[in-house]
Amino acid sequence: MNKTSIFLTLIVISALSLFFISCKEKKDNPDNMMNLPPLKEQFGEYFDIGNIFNPGDMSGGRINNQRLTRHYNILTAENDMKPHRLNPSRGTFNFITADNMVNSAISSGFKVLGHTLLWHSQIPQWQVNLRTDNTSKENALNQMREYITRIVTHFKGRVYAWDVLNEVFPDDRFFEDTNWREVMRAGPQGNPWYIKIGADFVYEGFLAARLADPDAILYYNDFNLNNPGKALMVHNMVRDVNAQYAQDYPGAGLLIQGIGMQSHHNITVSAKSIRDSLELFEPLGVLIAISELDVLSQSYGDFSRIPYTPPTEQGKTRAADLYGEYFEVFLEYADIIERVTFWGVYDEQSWRSRGLPLIFEGRVRSKAKPAYFNIIEALEVFQAK
Ligand code: XIL
């Protein structure tokens, strides 16, 4: 044999062995997520299925993470489109990483959400300073408008929706008939725009985004919206801001068009509490996004306790069951839910990894956990009705 035929034989042998290994892999690992039918197709007629992405998920202008391309059709940057990244200092914008991510996602067929513009966390120093410096209200308002206009205009036509305002209501209070304008996050960790401008910043912020990109869907996004008091505050804010817009711009539709329910849950969160909030939000006529779903396999108390104790078997089963119950509710409200985005693909990658909060596990090969099979069962039951 000459060199060329030895070379060719070797190539054929390697190709054949790869083929057999991958067949065996498929047979032995039916729960490997790369062998499962794409979630985005299974849920296709009801809502989009999303996940988060990071710079490491792309190369050569495409999303190269096969786990993402197989199962999801919409992406949220986990950190790279937050205020501190896009606008590190006043007047200085850094769009390089975010542009690369957004363009790669679009080239690979994904829709992209912009996350997020007005927040109290992961913000640049100049926004931190607004909490305490002597910038006038008028100046702050202009700075906010400029900041929003610059970013939203930059991504116009590429980002299909924006989380304009994130987490403005605190979590440690019991709200009943409270006026939403008076109870937003203030104090040393508060939302700087609220502290400086007052509650009008909500209307003004959304308006600036609307003017910069009339086609983007504008969202308010928050966690624990299964908490009835917090949900009521969000409901009232959206109702009032949209009423003001209807007065100022008759016939222009809604200003806040969507509510993002982050859904960073744990085993104490009942499906009923989520359904109740959906019922509350429905008459507002807004879209709902389940925007950052993960469910700890333990209570939040156990998750944050020192010393830390890992989830029990019982906790894991409870979280898996809850995933199924939540999806029953999501499907019931599929008419208004436009997307269900998970905050991570597999447990080891999660920002709350030790609480085992996702539906897949395994860093090298991710396989489906019982939670995955429970959400598919919820789908089958729903379709059989
Ligand atoms: C989290 C990221 O997942 C972490 O990597 C980062 O360290 C902190 O932020 N609500 C949000 C998200 O709106 O942006 C947060 O993401 C999780 C809570």
Side-chain angles (χ1 to χ4, degrees):
M1 281 218 265
N2 64 20
K3 269 192 192 149
T4 321
S5 37
I6 294 178
F7 183 65
L8 284 176
T9 317
L10 281 177
I11 288 190
V12 171
I13 291 174
S14 345
L16 279 176
S17 32
L18 274 181
F19 175 72
F20 286 120
I21 290 172
S22 85
C23 288
K24 185 165 160 26
E25 156 90 354
K26 209 160 203 150
K27 201 164 125 269
D28 292 351
N29 301 301
D31 55 357
N32 179 330
M33 73 178 286
M34 296 312 288
N35 295 335
L36 294 167
L39 281 168
K40 63 184 174 191
E41 284 167 21
Q42 300 191 74
F43 286 94
E45 59 178 292
Y46 305 110
F47 30 69
D48 284 338
I49 299 285
N51 216 304
I52 48 174
F53 73 138
N54 284 288
D57 295 315
M58 58 180 183
S59 69
R62 312 273 303 177
I63 298 298
N64 66 356
N65 178 339
Q66 303 288 314
R67 292 177 248 209
L68 291 178
T69 48
R70 182 173 184 85
H71 284 284
Y72 309 94
N73 50 16
I74 179 157
L75 294 175
T76 305
E78 182 173 17
N79 288 302
D80 287 280
M81 294 180 76
K82 291 177 177 175
H84 67 326
R85 293 285 167 82
L86 295 184
N87 183 202
S89 58
R90 190 160 137 61
T92 307
F93 291 83
N94 183 356
F95 293 124
I96 297 172
T97 305
D99 274 343
N100 207 338
M101 288 174 74
V102 171
N103 294 343
S104 300
I106 292 171
S107 308
S108 300
F110 291 93
K111 292 204 275 182
V112 187
L113 173 84
H115 173 78
T116 177
L117 295 167
L118 303 174
W119 200 13
H120 62 277
S121 178
Q122 296 183 281
I123 51 177
Q125 194 58 41
W126 75 272
Q127 293 183 15
V128 169
N129 294 346
L130 285 173
R131 289 176 180 141
T132 47
D133 69 15
N134 55 13
T135 307
S136 70
K137 176 176 169 174
E138 211 40 48
N139 277 342
L141 196 53
N142 285 331
Q143 289 176 17
M144 182 184 76
R145 289 190 185 119
E146 267 172 42
Y147 158 78
I148 290 180
T149 307
R150 180 73 195 270
I151 294 177
V152 174
T153 305
H154 181 83
F155 291 102
K156 182 170 154 41
R158 294 186 288 157
V159 160
Y160 92 103
W162 273 103
D163 285 340
V164 176
L165 175 56
N166 204 27
E167 302 178 350
V168 83
F169 292 106
D171 206 49
D172 52 359
R173 293 192 42 174
F174 179 73
F175 301 112
E176 219 171 352
D177 266 339
T178 326
N179 181 346
W180 63 268
R181 301 179 149 267
E182 286 159 17
V183 294
M184 294 178 162
R185 285 179 196 265
Q189 307 297 323
N191 184 304
W193 307 106
Y194 176 60
I195 292 169
K196 192 59 93 179
I197 300 166
D200 285 346
F201 92 98
V202 179
Y203 182 79
E204 296 297 336
F206 275 90
L207 188 60
R210 166 60 59 247
L211 296 173
D213 186 352
D215 297 322
I217 306 172
L218 304 183
Y219 267 93
Y220 175 72
N221 192 50
D222 209 334
F223 61 95
N224 289 359
L225 292 189
N226 62 297
N227 168 332
K230 206 169 172 185
L232 186 63
M233 290 301 100
V234 172
H235 168 276
N236 293 353
M237 175 186 76
V238 171
R239 179 196 63 196
D240 294 352
V241 167
N242 283 346
Q244 188 183 340
Y245 185 65
Q247 216 168 44
D248 296 350
Y249 298 83
L254 302 177
L255 181 58
I256 304 181
Q257 296 159 299
I259 297 176
M261 303 173 75
Q262 291 185 6
S263 312
H264 291 295
H265 291 324
N266 64 75
I267 57 169
T268 70
V269 175
S270 71
K272 179 178 181 302
S273 67
I274 298 172
R275 181 187 281 110
D276 289 346
S277 291
L278 286 165
E279 207 176 308
L280 173 72
F281 293 149
E282 193 170 22
L284 292 169
V286 295
L287 291 169
I288 301 292
I290 305 301
S291 56
E292 308 186 7
L293 180 61
D294 58 9
V295 186
L296 299 174
S297 297
Q298 55 191 157
S299 69
Y300 190 74
D302 285 347
F303 173 74
S304 29
R305 184 163 298 129
I306 302 168
Y308 173 69
T309 37
T312 60
E313 285 311 310
Q314 215 181 3
K316 291 184 203 172
T317 308
R318 184 75 197 119
D321 289 347
L322 281 173
Y323 261 112
E325 292 173 27
Y326 295 166
F327 268 78
E328 279 171 32
V329 174
F330 301 160
L331 287 162
E332 195 184 314
Y333 280 88
D335 286 350
I336 57 169
I337 295 181
E338 62 112 357
R339 127 178 70 105
V340 176
T341 288
F342 294 87
W343 208 247
V345 175
Y346 54 92
D347 284 342
E348 293 81 349
Q349 160 218 9
S350 164
W351 72 309
R352 310 202 290 174
S353 61
R354 67 186 190 182
L356 311 178
L358 295 168
I359 62 168
F360 298 110
E361 65 186 357
R363 192 178 282 284
V364 180
R365 280 196 184 76
S366 306
K367 61 172 194 164
K369 295 166 59 184
Y372 169 87
F373 296 101
N374 288 344
I375 70 178
I376 299 303
E377 193 186 322
L379 175 65
E380 286 164 359
V381 169
F382 184 77
Q383 286 172 328
K385 271 190 207 152

PDB file of all heavy atoms in Angstrom, residues 25-26 29-38 65-71 345 360 364-368:
ATOM      1  N   GLU A  25     -23.979   5.702  21.638  1.00  0.00           N
ATOM      2  CA  GLU A  25     -24.287   6.811  22.558  1.00  0.00           C
ATOM      3  C   GLU A  25     -25.789   7.095  22.579  1.00  0.00           C
ATOM      4  O   GLU A  25     -26.409   7.270  23.615  1.00  0.00           O
ATOM      5  CB  GLU A  25     -23.496   8.033  22.088  1.00  0.00           C
ATOM      6  CG  GLU A  25     -24.030   9.350  22.492  1.00  0.00           C
ATOM      7  CD  GLU A  25     -23.459   9.806  23.818  1.00  0.00           C
ATOM      8  OE1 GLU A  25     -22.723   9.036  24.466  1.00  0.00           O
ATOM      9  OE2 GLU A  25     -23.764  10.922  24.182  1.00  0.00           O
ATOM     10  N   LYS A  26     -26.367   7.077  21.374  1.00  0.00           N
ATOM     11  CA  LYS A  26     -27.791   7.375  21.260  1.00  0.00           C
ATOM     12  C   LYS A  26     -28.609   6.281  21.944  1.00  0.00           C
ATOM     13  O   LYS A  26     -29.552   6.568  22.681  1.00  0.00           O
ATOM     14  CB  LYS A  26     -28.149   7.454  19.785  1.00  0.00           C
ATOM     15  CG  LYS A  26     -29.279   8.376  19.516  1.00  0.00           C
ATOM     16  CD  LYS A  26     -29.321   8.814  18.069  1.00  0.00           C
ATOM     17  CE  LYS A  26     -30.086  10.117  17.994  1.00  0.00           C
ATOM     18  NZ  LYS A  26     -29.695  10.990  16.942  1.00  0.00           N
ATOM     19  N   ASN A  29     -27.872   6.278  25.759  1.00  0.00           N
ATOM     20  CA  ASN A  29     -28.218   7.501  26.467  1.00  0.00           C
ATOM     21  C   ASN A  29     -29.417   8.195  25.838  1.00  0.00           C
ATOM     22  O   ASN A  29     -29.297   9.260  25.265  1.00  0.00           O
ATOM     23  CB  ASN A  29     -27.038   8.484  26.464  1.00  0.00           C
ATOM     24  CG  ASN A  29     -25.816   7.879  27.107  1.00  0.00           C
ATOM     25  OD1 ASN A  29     -25.838   7.482  28.252  1.00  0.00           O
ATOM     26  ND2 ASN A  29     -24.751   7.816  26.331  1.00  0.00           N
ATOM     27  N   PRO A  30     -30.575   7.567  25.933  1.00  0.00           N
ATOM     28  CA  PRO A  30     -31.736   8.208  25.308  1.00  0.00           C
ATOM     29  C   PRO A  30     -32.056   9.539  25.985  1.00  0.00           C
ATOM     30  O   PRO A  30     -32.759  10.368  25.421  1.00  0.00           O
ATOM     31  CB  PRO A  30     -32.865   7.196  25.529  1.00  0.00           C
ATOM     32  CG  PRO A  30     -32.413   6.337  26.652  1.00  0.00           C
ATOM     33  CD  PRO A  30     -30.920   6.323  26.621  1.00  0.00           C
ATOM     34  N   ASP A  31     -31.508   9.747  27.204  1.00  0.00           N
ATOM     35  CA  ASP A  31     -31.808  10.998  27.888  1.00  0.00           C
ATOM     36  C   ASP A  31     -30.725  12.065  27.689  1.00  0.00           C
ATOM     37  O   ASP A  31     -30.798  13.139  28.256  1.00  0.00           O
ATOM     38  CB  ASP A  31     -32.057  10.750  29.384  1.00  0.00           C
ATOM     39  CG  ASP A  31     -30.896  10.027  30.052  1.00  0.00           C
ATOM     40  OD1 ASP A  31     -29.923   9.670  29.346  1.00  0.00           O
ATOM     41  OD2 ASP A  31     -30.955   9.833  31.273  1.00  0.00           O
ATOM     42  N   ASN A  32     -29.706  11.752  26.858  1.00  0.00           N
ATOM     43  CA  ASN A  32     -28.745  12.791  26.492  1.00  0.00           C
ATOM     44  C   ASN A  32     -29.526  13.900  25.782  1.00  0.00           C
ATOM     45  O   ASN A  32     -30.275  13.638  24.844  1.00  0.00           O
ATOM     46  CB  ASN A  32     -27.695  12.199  25.546  1.00  0.00           C
ATOM     47  CG  ASN A  32     -26.663  13.228  25.099  1.00  0.00           C
ATOM     48  OD1 ASN A  32     -26.941  14.417  25.002  1.00  0.00           O
ATOM     49  ND2 ASN A  32     -25.475  12.751  24.816  1.00  0.00           N
ATOM     50  N   MET A  33     -29.368  15.149  26.212  1.00  0.00           N
ATOM     51  CA  MET A  33     -30.213  16.205  25.642  1.00  0.00           C
ATOM     52  C   MET A  33     -30.029  16.365  24.141  1.00  0.00           C
ATOM     53  O   MET A  33     -30.923  16.845  23.456  1.00  0.00           O
ATOM     54  CB  MET A  33     -30.034  17.544  26.375  1.00  0.00           C
ATOM     55  CG  MET A  33     -28.746  18.273  26.104  1.00  0.00           C
ATOM     56  SD  MET A  33     -28.707  19.871  27.001  1.00  0.00           S
ATOM     57  CE  MET A  33     -29.842  20.859  26.037  1.00  0.00           C
ATOM     58  N   MET A  34     -28.881  15.908  23.621  1.00  0.00           N
ATOM     59  CA  MET A  34     -28.660  16.024  22.186  1.00  0.00           C
ATOM     60  C   MET A  34     -29.413  14.939  21.408  1.00  0.00           C
ATOM     61  O   MET A  34     -29.449  14.959  20.179  1.00  0.00           O
ATOM     62  CB  MET A  34     -27.163  15.978  21.875  1.00  0.00           C
ATOM     63  CG  MET A  34     -26.381  17.139  22.453  1.00  0.00           C
ATOM     64  SD  MET A  34     -27.136  18.759  22.149  1.00  0.00           S
ATOM     65  CE  MET A  34     -26.821  18.944  20.390  1.00  0.00           C
ATOM     66  N   ASN A  35     -29.995  13.989  22.124  1.00  0.00           N
ATOM     67  CA  ASN A  35     -30.808  12.965  21.462  1.00  0.00           C
ATOM     68  C   ASN A  35     -32.304  13.247  21.579  1.00  0.00           C
ATOM     69  O   ASN A  35     -33.114  12.556  20.975  1.00  0.00           O
ATOM     70  CB  ASN A  35     -30.546  11.587  22.082  1.00  0.00           C
ATOM     71  CG  ASN A  35     -29.118  11.125  21.844  1.00  0.00           C
ATOM     72  OD1 ASN A  35     -28.482  11.564  20.890  1.00  0.00           O
ATOM     73  ND2 ASN A  35     -28.618  10.265  22.705  1.00  0.00           N
ATOM     74  N   LEU A  36     -32.653  14.248  22.373  1.00  0.00           N
ATOM     75  CA  LEU A  36     -34.075  14.499  22.623  1.00  0.00           C
ATOM     76  C   LEU A  36     -34.648  15.450  21.585  1.00  0.00           C
ATOM     77  O   LEU A  36     -33.938  16.313  21.074  1.00  0.00           O
ATOM     78  CB  LEU A  36     -34.238  15.117  24.023  1.00  0.00           C
ATOM     79  CG  LEU A  36     -33.866  14.177  25.174  1.00  0.00           C
ATOM     80  CD1 LEU A  36     -33.746  14.958  26.483  1.00  0.00           C
ATOM     81  CD2 LEU A  36     -34.904  13.064  25.303  1.00  0.00           C
ATOM     82  N   PRO A  37     -35.931  15.279  21.271  1.00  0.00           N
ATOM     83  CA  PRO A  37     -36.546  16.189  20.296  1.00  0.00           C
ATOM     84  C   PRO A  37     -36.468  17.627  20.809  1.00  0.00           C
ATOM     85  O   PRO A  37     -36.645  17.866  22.008  1.00  0.00           O
ATOM     86  CB  PRO A  37     -38.003  15.720  20.220  1.00  0.00           C
ATOM     87  CG  PRO A  37     -38.206  14.784  21.356  1.00  0.00           C
ATOM     88  CD  PRO A  37     -36.869  14.273  21.792  1.00  0.00           C
ATOM     89  N   PRO A  38     -36.178  18.582  19.926  1.00  0.00           N
ATOM     90  CA  PRO A  38     -36.000  19.972  20.354  1.00  0.00           C
ATOM     91  C   PRO A  38     -37.208  20.517  21.128  1.00  0.00           C
ATOM     92  O   PRO A  38     -38.340  20.415  20.667  1.00  0.00           O
ATOM     93  CB  PRO A  38     -35.844  20.723  19.030  1.00  0.00           C
ATOM     94  CG  PRO A  38     -35.332  19.706  18.077  1.00  0.00           C
ATOM     95  CD  PRO A  38     -35.948  18.402  18.491  1.00  0.00           C
ATOM     96  N   ASN A  65     -22.694  26.704  20.355  1.00  0.00           N
ATOM     97  CA  ASN A  65     -23.119  25.819  21.436  1.00  0.00           C
ATOM     98  C   ASN A  65     -24.331  25.007  20.945  1.00  0.00           C
ATOM     99  O   ASN A  65     -25.446  25.525  20.831  1.00  0.00           O
ATOM    100  CB  ASN A  65     -23.489  26.671  22.658  1.00  0.00           C
ATOM    101  CG  ASN A  65     -24.000  25.840  23.815  1.00  0.00           C
ATOM    102  OD1 ASN A  65     -24.448  24.700  23.637  1.00  0.00           O
ATOM    103  ND2 ASN A  65     -23.952  26.408  25.005  1.00  0.00           N
ATOM    104  N   GLN A  66     -24.066  23.722  20.658  1.00  0.00           N
ATOM    105  CA  GLN A  66     -25.101  22.867  20.053  1.00  0.00           C
ATOM    106  C   GLN A  66     -26.295  22.660  20.970  1.00  0.00           C
ATOM    107  O   GLN A  66     -27.399  22.394  20.514  1.00  0.00           O
ATOM    108  CB  GLN A  66     -24.508  21.483  19.738  1.00  0.00           C
ATOM    109  CG  GLN A  66     -23.296  21.520  18.831  1.00  0.00           C
ATOM    110  CD  GLN A  66     -23.681  21.878  17.416  1.00  0.00           C
ATOM    111  OE1 GLN A  66     -24.641  21.346  16.886  1.00  0.00           O
ATOM    112  NE2 GLN A  66     -22.977  22.824  16.818  1.00  0.00           N
ATOM    113  N   ARG A  67     -26.026  22.736  22.275  1.00  0.00           N
ATOM    114  CA  ARG A  67     -27.152  22.549  23.196  1.00  0.00           C
ATOM    115  C   ARG A  67     -28.151  23.689  23.024  1.00  0.00           C
ATOM    116  O   ARG A  67     -29.350  23.491  23.102  1.00  0.00           O
ATOM    117  CB  ARG A  67     -26.642  22.477  24.637  1.00  0.00           C
ATOM    118  CG  ARG A  67     -25.825  21.210  24.894  1.00  0.00           C
ATOM    119  CD  ARG A  67     -25.257  21.185  26.300  1.00  0.00           C
ATOM    120  NE  ARG A  67     -23.813  21.324  26.252  1.00  0.00           N
ATOM    121  CZ  ARG A  67     -22.991  20.802  27.171  1.00  0.00           C
ATOM    122  NH1 ARG A  67     -23.455  20.122  28.199  1.00  0.00           N
ATOM    123  NH2 ARG A  67     -21.689  20.963  27.060  1.00  0.00           N
ATOM    124  N   LEU A  68     -27.623  24.878  22.787  1.00  0.00           N
ATOM    125  CA  LEU A  68     -28.515  26.030  22.564  1.00  0.00           C
ATOM    126  C   LEU A  68     -29.224  25.917  21.217  1.00  0.00           C
ATOM    127  O   LEU A  68     -30.438  26.104  21.130  1.00  0.00           O
ATOM    128  CB  LEU A  68     -27.731  27.336  22.635  1.00  0.00           C
ATOM    129  CG  LEU A  68     -27.195  27.750  24.013  1.00  0.00           C
ATOM    130  CD1 LEU A  68     -26.394  29.052  23.908  1.00  0.00           C
ATOM    131  CD2 LEU A  68     -28.342  27.925  25.028  1.00  0.00           C
ATOM    132  N   THR A  69     -28.458  25.604  20.171  1.00  0.00           N
ATOM    133  CA  THR A  69     -29.080  25.609  18.839  1.00  0.00           C
ATOM    134  C   THR A  69     -30.102  24.475  18.695  1.00  0.00           C
ATOM    135  O   THR A  69     -31.070  24.610  17.970  1.00  0.00           O
ATOM    136  CB  THR A  69     -28.031  25.508  17.704  1.00  0.00           C
ATOM    137  OG1 THR A  69     -27.132  24.438  18.011  1.00  0.00           O
ATOM    138  CG2 THR A  69     -27.245  26.790  17.564  1.00  0.00           C
ATOM    139  N   ARG A  70     -29.899  23.388  19.419  1.00  0.00           N
ATOM    140  CA  ARG A  70     -30.849  22.289  19.284  1.00  0.00           C
ATOM    141  C   ARG A  70     -32.217  22.605  19.901  1.00  0.00           C
ATOM    142  O   ARG A  70     -33.249  22.325  19.301  1.00  0.00           O
ATOM    143  CB  ARG A  70     -30.300  21.021  19.934  1.00  0.00           C
ATOM    144  CG  ARG A  70     -31.258  19.836  19.769  1.00  0.00           C
ATOM    145  CD  ARG A  70     -30.666  18.541  20.260  1.00  0.00           C
ATOM    146  NE  ARG A  70     -31.573  17.440  19.989  1.00  0.00           N
ATOM    147  CZ  ARG A  70     -31.630  16.774  18.844  1.00  0.00           C
ATOM    148  NH1 ARG A  70     -30.829  17.102  17.847  1.00  0.00           N
ATOM    149  NH2 ARG A  70     -32.491  15.795  18.675  1.00  0.00           N
ATOM    150  N   HIS A  71     -32.191  23.155  21.105  1.00  0.00           N
ATOM    151  CA  HIS A  71     -33.453  23.207  21.866  1.00  0.00           C
ATOM    152  C   HIS A  71     -34.129  24.566  21.965  1.00  0.00           C
ATOM    153  O   HIS A  71     -35.291  24.639  22.351  1.00  0.00           O
ATOM    154  CB  HIS A  71     -33.212  22.697  23.295  1.00  0.00           C
ATOM    155  CG  HIS A  71     -33.076  21.204  23.374  1.00  0.00           C
ATOM    156  ND1 HIS A  71     -34.159  20.361  23.285  1.00  0.00           N
ATOM    157  CD2 HIS A  71     -31.980  20.419  23.500  1.00  0.00           C
ATOM    158  CE1 HIS A  71     -33.741  19.103  23.379  1.00  0.00           C
ATOM    159  NE2 HIS A  71     -32.422  19.107  23.498  1.00  0.00           N
ATOM    160  N   VAL A 345     -28.814  26.101  30.934  1.00  0.00           N
ATOM    161  CA  VAL A 345     -29.172  24.825  30.314  1.00  0.00           C
ATOM    162  C   VAL A 345     -29.057  23.692  31.333  1.00  0.00           C
ATOM    163  O   VAL A 345     -30.006  22.952  31.555  1.00  0.00           O
ATOM    164  CB  VAL A 345     -28.272  24.539  29.087  1.00  0.00           C
ATOM    165  CG1 VAL A 345     -28.556  23.150  28.522  1.00  0.00           C
ATOM    166  CG2 VAL A 345     -28.481  25.600  28.009  1.00  0.00           C
ATOM    167  N   PHE A 360     -31.745  20.015  32.944  1.00  0.00           N
ATOM    168  CA  PHE A 360     -30.695  19.118  32.462  1.00  0.00           C
ATOM    169  C   PHE A 360     -29.538  19.165  33.446  1.00  0.00           C
ATOM    170  O   PHE A 360     -29.393  20.137  34.199  1.00  0.00           O
ATOM    171  CB  PHE A 360     -30.190  19.559  31.082  1.00  0.00           C
ATOM    172  CG  PHE A 360     -31.249  19.521  30.008  1.00  0.00           C
ATOM    173  CD1 PHE A 360     -31.748  20.705  29.465  1.00  0.00           C
ATOM    174  CD2 PHE A 360     -31.750  18.314  29.531  1.00  0.00           C
ATOM    175  CE1 PHE A 360     -32.729  20.678  28.472  1.00  0.00           C
ATOM    176  CE2 PHE A 360     -32.731  18.280  28.540  1.00  0.00           C
ATOM    177  CZ  PHE A 360     -33.223  19.470  28.009  1.00  0.00           C
ATOM    178  N   VAL A 364     -20.319  17.913  30.605  1.00  0.00           N
ATOM    179  CA  VAL A 364     -19.763  17.460  29.334  1.00  0.00           C
ATOM    180  C   VAL A 364     -20.873  16.970  28.400  1.00  0.00           C
ATOM    181  O   VAL A 364     -21.012  17.426  27.273  1.00  0.00           O
ATOM    182  CB  VAL A 364     -18.714  16.355  29.557  1.00  0.00           C
ATOM    183  CG1 VAL A 364     -18.144  15.885  28.228  1.00  0.00           C
ATOM    184  CG2 VAL A 364     -17.599  16.878  30.460  1.00  0.00           C
ATOM    185  N   ARG A 365     -21.663  16.028  28.901  1.00  0.00           N
ATOM    186  CA  ARG A 365     -22.874  15.614  28.180  1.00  0.00           C
ATOM    187  C   ARG A 365     -24.035  15.899  29.117  1.00  0.00           C
ATOM    188  O   ARG A 365     -24.096  15.337  30.188  1.00  0.00           O
ATOM    189  CB  ARG A 365     -22.848  14.110  27.902  1.00  0.00           C
ATOM    190  CG  ARG A 365     -21.999  13.762  26.737  1.00  0.00           C
ATOM    191  CD  ARG A 365     -22.302  12.363  26.252  1.00  0.00           C
ATOM    192  NE  ARG A 365     -21.387  12.049  25.177  1.00  0.00           N
ATOM    193  CZ  ARG A 365     -20.113  11.725  25.374  1.00  0.00           C
ATOM    194  NH1 ARG A 365     -19.634  11.620  26.583  1.00  0.00           N
ATOM    195  NH2 ARG A 365     -19.328  11.485  24.351  1.00  0.00           N
ATOM    196  N   SER A 366     -24.938  16.742  28.695  1.00  0.00           N
ATOM    197  CA  SER A 366     -26.060  17.058  29.580  1.00  0.00           C
ATOM    198  C   SER A 366     -27.196  16.095  29.325  1.00  0.00           C
ATOM    199  O   SER A 366     -27.571  15.849  28.181  1.00  0.00           O
ATOM    200  CB  SER A 366     -26.548  18.475  29.345  1.00  0.00           C
ATOM    201  OG  SER A 366     -25.482  19.375  29.473  1.00  0.00           O
ATOM    202  N   LYS A 367     -27.723  15.543  30.428  1.00  0.00           N
ATOM    203  CA  LYS A 367     -28.872  14.647  30.245  1.00  0.00           C
ATOM    204  C   LYS A 367     -30.095  15.190  30.968  1.00  0.00           C
ATOM    205  O   LYS A 367     -29.978  16.001  31.892  1.00  0.00           O
ATOM    206  CB  LYS A 367     -28.521  13.240  30.717  1.00  0.00           C
ATOM    207  CG  LYS A 367     -28.168  13.161  32.165  1.00  0.00           C
ATOM    208  CD  LYS A 367     -28.014  11.708  32.595  1.00  0.00           C
ATOM    209  CE  LYS A 367     -28.017  11.695  34.106  1.00  0.00           C
ATOM    210  NZ  LYS A 367     -28.225  10.496  34.792  1.00  0.00           N
ATOM    211  N   ALA A 368     -31.231  14.718  30.510  1.00  0.00           N
ATOM    212  CA  ALA A 368     -32.497  15.208  31.048  1.00  0.00           C
ATOM    213  C   ALA A 368     -32.714  14.708  32.464  1.00  0.00           C
ATOM    214  O   ALA A 368     -32.460  13.543  32.772  1.00  0.00           O
ATOM    215  CB  ALA A 368     -33.637  14.741  30.156  1.00  0.00           C
TER     216      ALA A 368
END
